[in-house]
Amino acid sequence: MDDERDNHGSNCELCGGAYTLPEDEDLGNLPRVIACGHIFCTACLCSLEIDNVIKCPECKPANVEKAEKDVEKAEKDVEKAVDEALAQAVENMAQLDHIHQTLVTGLATQAKREQARLVTEIDKAVDQAIHTLYKRREALLRELPNMQARFSSSQEEVSRVQERMTVLKMAIQTAKEFRHAPSLEQYDTLEKVLDTLQAPVDAQSFDMNCITLGCGLSCVWTDSLMEGLKMKAGSPEPLSEEPPLRALQQGGSNRKPAWCRGEGRSRSHTPPSRHKPPQQQDQESLRANRPSQCSSRSPGHQPGSTLTPLSPASDPGIYHLVLVTHVVNPGHFYIRYVAEKREGLMLTKKINHLCSGDKGRFTPSDTLETGSAIFVKWKDGFWCRATVVELWQSGSVAAVNACPITRLARIQVFLLDYGFTEAIVLQSEEGTTESLMEGVSECLRRVDMVVQSEMRCWAPLAIKCSLKDLIPADLIKGWSKEAQVEFRNVVGSAAMEMQVFGQDKNSLQVDLRKSPMDRASELPISVREYLVFIEVARFYSPVVFGRSPLPYYAPVYPDINTEFNAVVSYISSPADFYIQLVDSVDFQMLTAKLQACYNATTVDRDTDLHLYCPVMGQACVACFDDNVWYRAQVIGHPGGRKVEVRYVDIGNTKILSVHDLRKLKDEFFALPAKAIQCCLADVVPLDGETWSDTCTDRFIRLAHQKLVTVVAFEMEPNSRLLPVRLFEGSLDGPLANISDQLVTEELASFKNGHAEAPDVWDPPIEDLLAAEGKSDRDQEPLEFQPQLQLPVCLNELKVRVTHVSSPGSFCVQLTQNDSQLKRVSELLNQEYASMEPQEVEWKADMYCAALINGVWERGQICTTVTSSSIAEVLRCDFGNKVKLHVSNLQPLQPSLVGSLMLECTLYDIRPAGGQSTWTATACDFISYYLDGASAVMTVEEMTDERPVPVTLFCSNRMGSYVNMADSLVSEGLALKQWKPRNAVVPKPEESVAEPQVSGEQKDGPDMEKRELPGHGHIQMTISGIGEDGLIYARTHQAECQLEKLKEHIQQRMKTLPKQTPFTWKSVLGCAVIGPDMVWYRGQLLEVQRGEVKVRYVDYGLVENIPVVHVYPLLLCEDVPQLCVPCQLYGVNPVGGQWQWDAVALLKALLLNRCVDVQVMRPIMIPPAPLLDDWEISTEGLESPEVPVLGPFIYPVLPQEGEHFSVRIKHLRTPNELFLWPVEGGAEVDEETLEEALDRINKDAGSLPQLSNFLPGSACLAKYSDGKYYRATLMDFVSVDPVRLLIQHVDFGSDDTLPPSKLRQMPAELLRFSTRALKVRVAGFKAPSVSLETDMLPYQPKWSKKAAQEMIGLLHGNISASVVATEPALTVLLFDKKGELVHLPLIDAVLWTSSPEFFADQFMFIFACVFVTCHFVSKVFQC
């Protein structure tokens, strides 16, 4: 069997052949295993191979298919396992990546947070070390007064010297007594006394080196402090209670509400010590409170508890608004954030709820302990949180730690939300238990565990603060009473800006700043700097703010090498003085405005104009010696709460108290500084270095506060001094150069050793004539003229006002008659000085010589003298009346009878108020300015009647001449005299060769025509050539008059006339500001858009000038026109009209040249025809009729009570708005309004401009997007420029537009109804009392907040229901829920419900019920 089994294993089962190994070239017949597991030889497999496939002859086909499926299934299982593994690997990788990112972010946050904490702790430790060092320093300083006890050797030497001095003093006293009264008893001791007196002092016997030795003590630095400040290693503690991933996902601000910050802040607000009574506590807080006390730990603070931040981490540049609630001293006070006002109200409401009724009452078995929390009634109906500080039991004097509530007599509590303590007395000795409990319940309530847990969520609102780096001025005495009072005054009850610098134990290190009125122009007041400025505190590490004060504008410097008038306001030396220009009118009212503003607010502290802490260079207002306010600038701090200021409009400096300064309002910044710093240009001191006092005093006498003529020169580089020359000025003209006077008097010397060549001035002809007349008078004796004789020229007479009664009666003396007045006085003294009194019967109108104040004058008796012997005498040469005794009167010789006084009245004015007499105010006003003043007078009408009408010019403080009549009118004390403007028919006059006859020659009734030259040759200057060929010429006499006229006009027109609306149609004469900024007389020719066509009356030139440079004001209407219009004789222009080239040729040949003019023939100017004889035809002048479009179509609304959807287009007030019904036909003729407007806007250039401005008419208005929309005209807003008020009918908004943005609307747009319908919303109205301050300007009953809230409610789906159509369309508005829109805001007190609305609704319901009942009754009757 074994052999058979072996043969079977070595033979093929299919063919039975043996398996053979390959040998040499024989491949052999090896066994082969196929996929199904059967073994066959190689020869069999080769015979079974068909198409490269071998099928097992022993295996069935089913088994083969199963095997293939198993193989395929195995492959799929492997693929699925691989895919699942890959998916799991991806998820694992993502999770690892997330964990890695979280750890990296957490690590950075962890390091940053720990770094910030360590920096805070290091700063805190350093601050503690600093305070510790200061406390040690104070202790060492207290030991310094006893230092002399440590120098024993020096004290011994001092004792020896004192003993020697005592012996010597006794010897001197004995010797003096012996010298005074010698006696025999003293001879015995005399030798000892003499030895003592004569004993020399041996300096070597005294050890003087003892005072050079030290005490042996020294203050050294030890390393123990360095060892105390070190980093301490410990076990790690969790940074936060939240997981790191959650903490990373949270963001936002660290600022939390008060109820979320309870933990931490409550620890820092501990009450004061409970072992001291209130009096002692107050004294201690007001006594030596050194900086270390600000950070000292209160008894309630537990050791080991750290202070959490009292406020969010603040950048030193960030400020918080706070209120100071309680002040102990600048190093210990409490504040509350303004932003927590809402939280405070909520907390108060919560506490009042917890204490309402019988809640929280104490029971007789309760015991009260120090440190426990209670509720205290601070005011009626106002409860607040408190902590018990001290308790007093009835029958006990000392405070106790615990007390039964029935024996409580007095309690002292600390108010956590305000920062101060309050003492409450509860009972007297005779009080019963019931009365005690009732009294306790009235002011105290118990806080149980539940309430206490609720209150822990609310942090104390009062935060303890200290001014950073501020210590008392005296460290030994601590904070003074003055520092506490000043701190309370500057803080007040207003909101302050608080800047947080850090934290020191249980207080914040801050600075408080008082907000300015105008942040653009004022510096905020730092409380720290203010306390240092008033010297009640000082810095040891100040913080400097970089904001600079707003300076004044620099003064306006005059043109160089040009004369101008000025007043020298202040003189320090000839090389440093200040001048004020007098040609600037803006400064004339500055002083008056300053006084009106600051005198009214001097005692009113609520205006907050006080300047607490002035800084260098700050602009302010300072009070001068005369109690007048002037603009100033701070230039120094001398100390002692004093400041040094410079008055910028005067130039002088002064040291003032800070109480004499005020803040400068913005309106006084507009004008630049008035005082200009100058120096004399051409002189130097005699010694070349410093000006002597004599020279400065002489310069002050010559120029200080005087009107001078100034010539300025170029300033030197890097110099603020303006080099000038000064000339003395007066009514008689310029005098000598002040620099020449100083050199002549040997008080100064010219630069470079010589004076510059003086300017050559051509003297005017009048001065030459006056000089000739003077020389003639010098040769002949002065002729006596007792009566006043007026000169031929009555213009610009220099006079002296001697007496003023009213604007209608005052007396003047001509300065040219001063010599006559002197002659009259001499003659009267010669005649009556030695004459004896005579008995004369004095009657009215008799002339006399009167002795007045020791001087004889001419007089006239006013009334007949009676028995009283007192006569009323009129001073003939002065105008006033005096009462004299008859003994002082003498009959006046006939040769001396006369008067050198002229009685005058102001011309062209009348009393104001419709009265015929002048008021006392007007009389006092003119008397104040004219009495005894020098003036310039022009006689308007010379008649024999008195008073004579004159125009009077008087110099004001600025040196400029002011018309007194105009001054009275401007003050409202007088009115201009009414003059009827009657037509004047010109008379026939001779003319120059072919003068202009047309209407353009007329100047109207305002301008008087100049007399035309006669026949013959005459020299004339051509001043202008007209476009119509007219030639304007002036004679030589007219040239001279023109110069005087220009000076007179410039002197008169010092100020711009007030711009008032007027109609140019009735104006012919006008005043014109030329391109050279000089005033000229003008004639109005034509009014154009924004300009007027004006002819210069005295030149003939024609220009188009802006309206703002032309004023309807007649200048010197009594002076005739100085230029004469002429035209060439016998020359006619080609074509009948002068061409531009011909006019240009005439200008090139004649303009501004002196030519010889020959008058060929005179011409008669016919009188102007009367207006009634004119034949005026308006044919062709009428513009084509423009049709006025009818009104717009309004949309059809549903009936009353029905709801319909609307869209709000415009809101005017919360109960007045514009809406549009959404449902309705928007298309007309298959076109919408938007499509029609787009089509019209594409061709907007072809739309004609609007020419008919009838209110209510339709038009197209241009909006800001450049498109035209439908609108209706409302009204005219302004005429110059023309602007109209329109309303967009499709939007409801108003706009103000010029006519250029209005177009005529095509009639086809009237087909569409308006898209905005004005309605009134029912159900509410404006509140009668509103707490809001920001109101709508066009409807002050409504606030802007109410309008904004209403706008927010009108967004979304809004529906409406018509309530009434008369008198105005009234609707109700509903939201998408069907509720009234305005109901959510009724609680906000922004408006109130309308009682009329509810009354209407009630009447409507009542009417419905009534009709229903009536109908039912009729049915039953049927």
Side-chain angles (χ1 to χ4, degrees):
M1 291 294 294
D2 295 336
D3 295 337
E4 187 178 351
R5 186 182 300 112
D6 296 338
N7 292 332
H8 181 73
S10 60
N11 297 328
C12 177
E13 294 180 357
L14 182 59
C15 64
Y19 299 115
T20 61
L21 298 173
E23 295 180 2
D24 298 334
E25 296 181 358
D26 186 10
L27 298 176
N29 191 17
L30 295 175
R32 303 288 183 177
V33 180
I34 59 178
C36 60
H38 293 93
I39 301 173
F40 299 100
C41 64
T42 304
C44 292
L45 293 180
C46 291
S47 62
L48 294 175
E49 181 178 3
I50 301 175
D51 297 332
N52 295 329
V53 176
I54 299 175
K55 294 184 179 181
C56 181
E58 295 185 1
C59 296
K60 297 180 179 180
N63 296 333
V64 175
E65 293 177 1
K66 183 179 180 182
E68 293 177 355
K69 290 181 180 180
D70 293 341
V71 172
E72 184 179 358
K73 182 179 180 181
E75 292 177 354
K76 290 182 179 180
D77 292 341
V78 171
E79 292 178 358
K80 182 178 180 181
V82 172
D83 292 340
E84 291 178 356
L86 290 175
Q88 183 65 32
V90 171
E91 182 179 356
N92 294 338
M93 181 61 69
Q95 187 174 2
L96 290 174
D97 187 25
H98 179 70
I99 295 175
H100 177 267
Q101 188 68 23
T102 302
L103 290 175
V104 170
T105 306
L107 178 61
T109 305
Q110 180 185 23
K112 184 177 180 180
R113 189 182 304 175
E114 284 295 283
Q115 182 180 0
R117 181 184 63 81
L118 291 175
V119 169
T120 304
E121 292 181 0
I122 291 172
D123 293 340
K124 188 184 302 184
V126 170
D127 290 340
Q128 292 177 356
I130 292 175
H131 287 298
T132 303
L133 290 176
Y134 268 94
K135 291 176 64 177
R136 180 57 181 165
R137 177 179 179 273
E138 294 166 10
L140 293 176
L141 290 178
R142 285 194 294 268
E143 297 177 2
L144 294 182
N146 299 325
M147 288 298 296
Q148 292 185 2
R150 296 185 174 273
F151 299 94
S152 57
S153 58
S154 299
Q155 288 182 350
E156 293 177 359
E157 295 299 324
V158 170
S159 301
R160 289 179 55 198
V161 173
Q162 289 178 351
E163 292 176 359
R164 177 69 183 273
M165 292 173 63
T166 302
V167 172
L168 186 58
K169 287 180 180 179
M170 294 178 61
I172 293 173
Q173 183 67 22
T174 304
K176 288 182 178 180
E177 292 176 358
F178 180 82
R179 184 70 177 81
H180 183 264
S183 62
L184 295 176
E185 298 177 355
Q186 296 178 350
Y187 277 95
D188 296 334
T189 60
L190 182 60
E191 285 190 27
K192 293 183 179 180
V193 171
L194 292 178
D195 293 339
T196 303
L197 293 176
Q198 296 175 359
V201 177
D202 186 8
Q204 300 296 330
S205 62
F206 299 101
D207 186 10
M208 301 302 295
N209 294 327
C210 63
I211 59 176
T212 61
L213 300 177
C215 65
L217 298 178
S218 63
C219 184
V220 297
W221 176 264
T222 62
D223 295 336
S224 59
L225 184 60
M226 298 299 295
E227 295 177 358
L229 188 64
K230 61 183 179 180
M231 304 297 290
K232 180 181 179 181
S235 59
E237 297 179 357
L239 297 178
S240 175
E241 297 179 359
E242 325 178 293
L245 295 179
R246 182 181 176 185
L248 291 174
Q249 294 173 358
Q250 293 181 352
S253 175
N254 293 328
R255 179 83 174 168
K256 299 180 180 179
W259 58 81
C260 300
R261 301 198 310 266
E263 185 178 358
R265 190 194 283 189
S266 60
R267 298 179 182 178
S268 62
H269 288 70
T270 55
S273 176
R274 58 187 177 91
H275 300 290
K276 301 174 183 178
Q279 295 81 1
Q280 186 177 355
Q281 176 69 26
D282 294 339
Q283 293 175 2
E284 180 180 348
S285 62
L286 298 176
R287 204 172 53 220
N289 294 319
R290 301 178 179 86
S292 59
Q293 288 180 335
C294 300
S295 60
S296 60
R297 186 172 300 166
S298 58
H301 189 87
Q302 298 177 2
S305 61
T306 58
L307 181 67
T308 58
L310 301 180
S311 65
S314 299
D315 187 352
I318 299 177
Y319 293 89
H320 307 276
L321 285 179
V322 298
L323 291 172
V324 179
T325 59
H326 180 60
V327 175
V328 178
N329 54 53
H332 183 188
F333 58 92
Y334 293 87
I335 60 96
R336 288 178 61 168
Y337 287 101
V338 175
E340 294 181 352
K341 182 179 179 181
R342 182 184 180 91
E343 288 84 349
L345 295 177
M346 295 175 61
L347 176 61
T348 302
K349 187 176 180 180
K350 178 71 173 178
I351 297 177
N352 289 337
H353 174 71
L354 295 175
C355 298
S356 61
D358 295 336
K359 297 179 180 179
R361 287 177 174 266
F362 283 96
T363 61
S365 60
D366 291 335
T367 301
L368 203 58
E369 298 179 355
T370 55
S372 58
I374 58 173
F375 292 141
V376 177
K377 180 183 286 188
W378 185 25
K379 296 179 181 178
D380 294 338
F382 181 72
W383 293 86
C384 57
R385 296 182 296 175
T387 302
V388 178
V389 179
E390 289 182 332
L391 296 170
W392 283 270
Q393 188 173 336
S394 58
S396 176
V397 179
V400 297
N401 295 331
C403 176
I405 198 67
T406 55
R407 300 192 60 189
L408 185 62
R410 188 158 59 99
I411 184 174
Q412 186 173 7
V413 296
F414 176 77
L415 303 182
L416 296 177
D417 299 321
Y418 297 93
F420 59 90
T421 58
E422 186 80 8
I424 302 174
V425 179
L426 297 174
Q427 70 167 5
S428 61
E429 295 295 335
E430 296 80 8
T432 62
T433 303
E434 292 76 9
S435 61
L436 172 63
M437 298 307 300
E438 189 66 26
V440 170
S441 300
E442 286 294 328
C443 56
L444 300 178
R445 292 298 171 94
R446 181 169 52 88
V447 178
D448 54 16
M449 298 300 295
V450 178
V451 175
Q452 190 171 4
S453 62
E454 293 183 11
M455 288 295 104
R456 286 176 181 173
C457 300
W458 299 79
L461 299 180
I463 302 175
K464 183 179 179 182
C465 299
S466 174
L467 293 181
K468 180 176 173 57
D469 300 330
L470 202 67
I471 58 177
D474 190 345
L475 291 176
I476 305 300
K477 297 181 179 179
W479 291 109
S480 62
K481 185 69 174 179
E482 182 184 6
Q484 299 163 20
V485 172
E486 291 293 341
F487 183 60
R488 291 191 182 98
N489 291 339
V490 72
V491 168
S493 59
M496 307 283 291
E497 293 181 355
M498 184 179 74
Q499 184 181 17
V500 182
F501 295 99
Q503 186 174 321
D504 180 18
K505 289 188 178 180
N506 60 342
S507 63
L508 289 179
Q509 298 295 309
V510 301
D511 183 24
L512 299 179
R513 302 202 313 176
K514 204 165 191 176
S515 301
M517 293 185 298
D518 188 351
R519 295 182 181 270
S521 60
E522 294 187 17
L523 290 175
I525 300 173
S526 172
V527 177
R528 300 164 66 246
E529 295 181 359
Y530 170 69
L531 296 178
V532 173
F533 172 76
I534 62 176
E535 299 179 353
V536 297
R538 58 189 177 92
F539 288 123
Y540 68 85
S541 178
V543 177
V544 180
F545 300 96
R547 185 173 177 181
S548 59
L550 184 65
Y552 289 101
Y553 289 107
V556 179
Y557 289 93
D559 297 335
I560 61 175
N561 299 324
T562 303
E563 289 187 0
F564 59 92
N565 293 330
V567 174
V568 181
S569 58
Y570 174 70
I571 296 176
S572 177
S573 68
D576 183 12
F577 59 91
Y578 291 83
I579 63 172
Q580 298 173 344
L581 303 182
V582 298
D583 56 353
S584 177
V585 243
D586 296 332
F587 287 101
Q588 297 182 6
M589 301 301 296
L590 176 62
T591 303
K593 289 182 179 179
L594 283 171
Q595 311 319 310
C597 175
Y598 288 93
N599 285 337
T601 59
T602 299
V603 296
D604 187 6
R605 194 176 181 87
D606 295 337
T607 55
D608 202 15
L609 290 178
H610 292 76
L611 196 59
Y612 296 99
C613 184
V615 299
M616 291 292 294
Q618 183 173 358
C620 60
V621 178
C623 186
F624 200 59
D625 294 337
D626 51 359
N627 293 326
V628 178
W629 297 95
Y630 296 96
R631 298 191 303 170
Q633 187 175 19
V634 179
I635 60 174
H637 294 108
R641 303 181 70 174
K642 303 283 185 179
V643 290
E644 185 178 5
V645 298
R646 172 178 286 111
Y647 296 95
V648 296
D649 297 326
I650 302 175
N652 60 324
T653 61
K654 189 178 181 182
I655 297 178
L656 301 171
S657 171
V658 70
H659 300 294
D660 294 332
L661 301 183
R662 296 292 184 270
K663 297 177 183 177
L664 186 68
K665 292 188 174 181
D666 290 344
E667 56 186 295
F668 301 116
F669 264 110
L671 294 178
K674 186 178 180 183
I676 302 176
Q677 191 174 11
C678 304
C679 64
L680 292 181
D682 43 10
V683 292
V684 294
L686 286 178
D687 58 0
E689 295 181 357
T690 57
W691 293 94
S692 63
D693 295 340
T694 306
C695 180
T696 302
D697 294 341
R698 178 57 177 162
F699 183 52
I700 292 175
R701 291 194 300 272
L702 289 174
H704 188 233
Q705 296 297 334
K706 293 184 179 180
L707 178 66
V708 294
T709 301
V710 185
V711 178
F713 300 93
E714 292 186 1
M715 299 176 62
E716 297 181 359
N718 301 325
S719 176
R720 296 182 301 175
L721 299 176
L722 178 67
V724 297
R725 288 182 186 173
L726 300 184
F727 300 88
E728 287 184 289
S730 68
L731 294 175
D732 298 330
L735 296 179
N737 188 338
I738 293 181
S739 299
D740 295 343
Q741 296 187 39
L742 295 178
V743 175
T744 304
E745 298 176 7
E746 297 183 353
L747 299 176
S749 60
F750 288 110
K751 292 182 179 179
N752 302 326
H754 62 279
E756 298 181 3
D759 296 331
V760 179
W761 300 87
D762 294 331
I765 299 178
E766 292 81 353
D767 294 348
L768 294 177
L769 295 177
E772 293 179 0
K774 183 176 181 180
S775 61
D776 296 340
R777 289 192 299 269
D778 292 341
Q779 295 176 1
E780 298 178 1
L782 182 65
E783 182 182 358
F784 175 63
Q785 297 177 357
Q787 193 67 31
L788 175 65
Q789 294 182 2
L790 294 176
V792 178
C793 181
L794 299 178
N795 293 333
E796 299 184 1
L797 300 176
K798 297 175 182 178
V799 297
R800 184 185 306 106
V801 182
T802 59
H803 175 63
V804 179
S805 296
S806 68
S809 176
F810 57 92
C811 302
V812 299
Q813 294 175 348
L814 274 66
T815 57
Q816 64 184 19
N817 291 335
D818 288 346
S819 57
Q820 293 292 342
L821 288 170
K822 185 177 180 180
R823 181 70 181 278
V824 169
S825 179
E826 292 176 353
L827 292 177
L828 289 174
N829 287 329
Q830 292 176 4
E831 185 71 22
Y832 298 101
S834 58
M835 183 177 294
E836 296 293 333
Q838 303 178 13
E839 293 184 0
V840 180
E841 184 179 355
W842 297 104
K843 296 184 179 181
D845 297 333
M846 290 181 59
Y847 288 94
C848 63
L851 183 62
I852 302 175
N853 296 328
V855 179
W856 287 97
E857 298 179 7
R858 295 184 296 180
Q860 187 178 11
I861 304 298
C862 298
T863 58
T864 302
V865 180
T866 59
S867 59
S868 60
S869 301
I870 300 298
E872 187 177 11
V873 179
L874 173 66
R875 301 172 68 186
C876 295
D877 297 321
F878 297 91
N880 61 322
K881 297 179 181 180
V882 294
K883 292 185 178 180
L884 300 174
H885 194 270
V886 293
S887 60
N888 294 326
L889 303 180
Q890 294 289 347
L892 186 64
Q893 295 182 7
S895 60
L896 298 177
V897 173
S899 175
L900 295 177
M901 170 269 298
L902 179 65
E903 185 180 4
C904 306
T905 180
L906 292 180
Y907 176 71
D908 200 24
I909 60 172
R910 57 190 173 91
Q915 301 179 359
S916 59
T917 59
W918 292 96
T919 61
T921 305
C923 298
D924 294 341
F925 178 83
I926 193 171
S927 177
Y928 175 79
Y929 286 101
L930 288 185
D931 201 2
S934 298
V936 177
M937 182 182 71
T938 298
V939 179
E940 300 293 343
E941 298 177 6
M942 190 59 217
T943 60
D944 295 336
E945 298 180 357
R946 296 292 184 270
V948 178
V950 299
T951 301
L952 196 68
F953 296 89
C954 185
S955 176
N956 60 5
R957 295 181 179 179
M958 311 306 299
S960 58
Y961 285 93
V962 179
N963 190 332
M964 294 306 301
D966 294 343
S967 298
L968 287 171
V969 173
S970 63
E971 293 291 335
L973 302 176
L975 299 175
K976 283 289 185 180
Q977 190 70 35
W978 180 81
K979 294 181 181 180
R981 302 178 66 87
N982 299 325
V984 178
V985 179
K987 299 179 180 180
E989 296 178 348
E990 295 183 350
S991 175
V992 196
E994 294 296 336
Q996 175 71 12
V997 186
S998 63
E1000 292 184 357
Q1001 182 187 0
K1002 285 184 56 181
D1003 287 340
D1006 313 295
M1007 287 296 172
E1008 178 186 351
K1009 286 299 179 185
R1010 177 170 176 75
E1011 227 175 90
L1012 301 179
H1015 287 282
H1017 293 270
I1018 186 172
Q1019 294 288 331
M1020 302 184 74
T1021 301
I1022 308 302
S1023 59
I1025 306 293
E1027 299 297 330
D1028 51 0
L1030 287 180
I1031 301 173
Y1032 295 89
R1034 289 193 299 264
T1035 62
H1036 177 69
Q1037 181 184 2
E1039 291 286 341
C1040 299
Q1041 294 182 359
L1042 179 62
E1043 294 299 326
K1044 294 183 179 180
L1045 178 66
K1046 289 173 60 178
E1047 294 180 2
H1048 180 72
I1049 291 176
Q1050 306 314 314
Q1051 188 178 22
R1052 177 180 177 183
M1053 299 296 290
K1054 288 292 185 180
T1055 61
L1056 291 177
K1058 185 178 180 181
Q1059 287 281 3
T1060 56
F1062 51 83
T1063 303
W1064 285 103
K1065 295 180 180 179
S1066 60
V1067 176
L1068 293 177
C1070 57
V1072 182
I1073 302 179
D1076 54 354
M1077 301 307 293
V1078 178
W1079 289 95
Y1080 296 94
R1081 300 192 298 174
Q1083 174 192 359
L1084 184 67
L1085 300 180
E1086 183 182 355
V1087 180
Q1088 302 173 353
R1089 177 177 294 182
E1091 295 181 342
V1092 290
K1093 192 175 184 179
V1094 175
R1095 172 183 288 116
Y1096 292 92
V1097 172
D1098 302 314
Y1099 295 85
L1101 302 177
V1102 177
E1103 286 185 356
N1104 291 334
I1105 301 177
V1107 178
V1108 295
H1109 291 169
V1110 182
Y1111 297 87
L1113 180 66
L1114 293 178
L1115 298 177
C1116 303
E1117 58 268 26
D1118 57 334
V1119 179
Q1121 178 178 339
L1122 298 181
C1123 69
V1124 180
C1126 313
Q1127 62 184 132
L1128 298 176
Y1129 178 75
V1131 177
N1132 294 322
V1134 177
Q1137 186 177 2
W1138 289 92
Q1139 302 298 323
W1140 67 270
D1141 52 350
V1143 175
L1145 179 61
L1146 288 176
K1147 290 181 179 179
L1149 293 175
L1150 300 177
L1151 195 60
N1152 296 327
R1153 295 189 179 184
C1154 184
V1155 297
D1156 182 45
V1157 178
Q1158 181 181 4
V1159 180
M1160 300 301 298
R1161 64 180 178 86
I1163 186 170
M1164 302 298 294
I1165 303 177
L1170 297 177
L1171 183 62
D1172 298 339
D1173 296 336
W1174 289 3
E1175 294 181 1
I1176 301 175
S1177 176
T1178 60
E1179 184 179 356
L1181 298 179
E1182 298 180 355
S1183 59
E1185 187 69 21
V1186 179
V1188 179
L1189 298 179
F1192 289 97
I1193 302 174
Y1194 292 101
V1196 180
L1197 299 179
Q1199 296 182 359
E1200 296 183 9
E1202 295 185 7
H1203 288 249
F1204 56 95
S1205 300
V1206 295
R1207 181 181 301 165
I1208 308 302
K1209 304 301 290 286
H1210 177 66
L1211 184 138
R1212 189 172 181 271
T1213 63
N1215 65 341
E1216 185 178 339
L1217 47 84
F1218 292 82
L1219 54 82
W1220 177 51
V1222 177
E1223 300 176 357
E1227 293 186 359
V1228 177
D1229 298 336
E1230 298 182 355
E1231 187 181 23
T1232 63
L1233 175 62
E1234 289 76 10
E1235 295 174 353
L1237 286 175
D1238 291 340
R1239 175 171 49 82
I1240 293 175
N1241 278 301
K1242 290 179 180 179
D1243 195 16
S1246 62
L1247 294 174
Q1249 287 194 354
L1250 190 65
S1251 58
N1252 195 335
F1253 302 99
L1254 184 65
S1257 59
C1259 65
L1260 288 178
K1262 191 174 184 180
Y1263 195 58
S1264 58
D1265 58 356
K1267 296 182 180 181
Y1268 288 92
Y1269 297 93
R1270 298 192 302 172
T1272 180
L1273 292 177
M1274 304 295 291
D1275 197 0
F1276 282 89
V1277 177
S1278 62
V1279 179
D1280 187 15
V1282 178
R1283 298 186 71 85
L1284 298 99
L1285 177 65
I1286 61 98
Q1287 185 182 71
H1288 296 280
V1289 296
D1290 298 322
F1291 300 95
S1293 58
D1294 300 337
D1295 202 355
T1296 303
L1297 300 175
S1300 60
K1301 292 188 177 182
L1302 300 178
R1303 295 292 184 269
Q1304 297 180 18
M1305 189 182 75
E1308 59 177 320
L1309 292 180
L1310 287 176
R1311 301 175 298 164
F1312 303 95
S1313 62
T1314 59
R1315 297 299 180 89
L1317 192 61
K1318 184 177 180 180
V1319 299
R1320 179 179 178 272
V1321 183
F1324 63 95
K1325 64 177 182 179
S1328 58
V1329 178
S1330 178
L1331 300 179
E1332 299 292 334
T1333 58
D1334 196 5
M1335 313 300 288
L1336 295 177
Y1338 53 86
Q1339 192 61 263
K1341 293 182 180 180
W1342 289 100
S1343 65
K1344 291 183 179 179
K1345 183 178 179 181
Q1348 294 173 357
E1349 295 289 342
M1350 188 63 179
I1351 291 174
L1353 290 173
L1354 294 178
H1355 290 293
N1357 298 327
I1358 302 297
S1359 60
S1361 175
V1362 178
V1363 176
T1365 58
E1366 295 294 338
L1369 182 60
T1370 307
V1371 300
L1372 287 174
L1373 297 180
F1374 302 90
D1375 56 13
K1376 60 183 180 180
K1377 297 181 181 179
E1379 299 179 355
L1380 292 175
V1381 171
H1382 62 272
L1383 289 181
L1385 295 180
I1386 293 297
D1387 295 337
V1389 200
L1390 298 178
W1391 45 61
T1392 59
S1393 299
S1394 174
E1396 292 84 358
F1397 168 71
F1398 294 108
D1400 294 342
Q1401 297 296 315
F1402 175 77
M1403 294 300 297
F1404 176 75
I1405 296 173
F1406 177 77
C1408 294
V1409 173
F1410 177 76
V1411 172
T1412 304
C1413 295
H1414 181 71
F1415 177 75
V1416 171
S1417 64
K1418 290 293 184 181
V1419 171
F1420 279 107
Q1421 289 177 5
C1422 295

